[in-house]
Amino acid sequence: MATQKLLVRLPEDLIRRLRRRVSPRSRSAFVQALLEQALPADDNAADPLFLAALEMERDATLATEMAEWNVNAGDGIDAL
């Protein structure tokens, strides 16, 4: 697999923790693993969370029920 260098700016505290816990020769693989976990694949059809969200959006009965919910009831947000 071809690779590229990437310049990323991060808070000093985060860099300090990374350097303390991940050896220099393992940092690229560590960051790669985190990014692969955090970012969906380019093909959203393969992402089960994306498929579940899409299915929920398409469900007319669920959409009607959710529209009836008053999710802000009693939380004090309207008073602000």
Side-chain angles (χ1 to χ4, degrees):
M1 168 184 12
T3 61
Q4 294 183 9
K5 284 188 176 186
L6 175 67
L7 174 65
V8 179
R9 296 186 185 277
L10 299 170
E12 289 180 6
D13 178 58
L14 187 57
I15 295 295
R16 202 171 17 258
R17 292 184 336 212
L18 175 71
R19 288 180 175 156
R20 227 183 352 228
R21 293 185 176 106
V22 182
S23 70
R25 294 182 158 266
S26 301
R27 290 179 190 151
S28 289
F30 178 81
V31 172
Q32 179 180 344
L34 290 176
L35 290 173
E36 286 174 348
Q37 282 181 328
L39 299 174
D42 288 338
D43 180 13
N44 284 333
D47 183 356
L49 291 177
F50 175 80
L51 292 175
L54 192 59
E55 192 70 28
M56 288 177 57
E57 286 181 0
R58 291 181 178 159
D59 186 327
T61 305
L62 181 60
T64 302
E65 182 180 337
M66 288 178 62
E68 295 171 357
W69 295 348
N70 184 359
V71 296
N72 293 328
D75 64 4
I77 291 177
D78 293 335
L80 299 177

